[in-house]
Amino acid sequence: MKKLITTLVSVVLTMTVLTACGGKNSEAPSGSEGSSSKAITVRLGVFKNITHAPSYVALDKGYFQKEFGDNVKIEVLSFDNGSEFSTALATGEIDLGTVGPGPSTNQYVKSKNFRVVSGSNNGGAVLVVGKDSGITDVKDLVGKTVAIPTKGSTNEISLRLLLQQAGLKVTDDSTGVQIIARAPADTLIAMRQKEIDATLIPEPWGTQMEQEGIGSILVDWNKIPPNNGDYPLSIMVASDKFIKEHRDLVKAAIKANLQAIDFIEKSPDEAYASINNQLKELTGKAMDVELIKAALARCHITSDVSKEAIEEMAKVSIEAGYIKDITVDTLDLSEFVDLSMLEEVKSEK
């Protein structure tokens, strides 16, 4: 009996030691070998416009799936504006995706729980004026109504910078420029019906207004501030929680984004088809390929991110009242833009 008890104790002790040793592997830190061994779902946020073209191509060509691996399921969630996207990211509804710096910076200052990990597209917005508006110069916008996709958007920040350059103020009366928020599809209708005088809007909407003959482009994408169009309009962001738990998958997403950018540059005709496939998937409606081609000509698809441009736009958001309880002097975005993983992926090539 004594021998039996001794044997049982030895077995229990052995099992305890084995369990303890095995526990380190079962709870491996994110980014280590085998961290994504069990099936998970990655919730990817995307927009319904061409300025997010790399995400479309990466989805359509299977780059995301290839880099994530077979054990990862991708759940795509589409958004109409950056504020909704940024809120979803901050509250854990999505893990990563592409968004504009305006609304994402506004949200980051409040929640500080996600960061920029790569660029996707610089530029791609234009200032369109109505066909019979009589506007031939930015200074002619005094007393006029200009639409932007949503309050606090990157497009509104660019518009405010453009007005500042012309010495104009944003007001609620005819002494300055009145800014109203309209979804791009509603802006198109408003322009047709001459309910607005102008709009600063992302592609392909500007090109569509131009092609329809209801508006003309007063300030092309490469003259829109900051940096004459070379500013982040679409950036890849990821939640801190997702980075901590799945750093390897964030790097995989960055790699897929880089592959898509390269594909758009080297195989534009095939890229147009991929973009159209995803637009149809997200909106239920395909787009004329020539419209996609013309719109992409007004974008600079790149992984580059200008921290200085993001900071400049953030200061405009502070002055406009979108970022509260912080001053221009105390603004600190040093942890918001984290390109370390992008650099790691590029160095691994």
Side-chain angles (χ1 to χ4, degrees), residues 43 56 68 85 117 172 184 193 203 213 336 341 345:
R43 297 161 301 171
Y56 291 169
F68 286 156
F85 176 105
V117 297
D172 294 325
Q193 299 176 348
E203 288 292 16
F336 179 47
M341 285 172 282
V345 170

Side-chain angles (χ1 to χ4, degrees), residues 185-243:
D186 295 334
T187 298
L188 177 64
I189 295 171
M191 187 66 83
R192 286 174 182 157
Q193 299 176 348
K194 299 182 181 180
E195 295 174 354
I196 57 174
D197 303 296
T199 178
L200 201 151
I201 198 166
E203 288 292 16
W205 302 99
T207 294
Q208 186 169 348
M209 291 175 188
E210 183 181 46
Q211 291 183 353
E212 281 191 22
I214 60 174
S216 60
I217 293 176
L218 180 64
V219 182
D220 211 341
W221 77 276
N222 57 358
K223 296 298 180 184
I224 297 291
N227 296 345
N228 289 325
D230 194 22
Y231 62 92
L233 187 67
S234 176
I235 51 179
M236 180 172 280
V237 292
S239 74
D240 287 349
K241 183 177 185 292
F242 193 69
I243 293 172

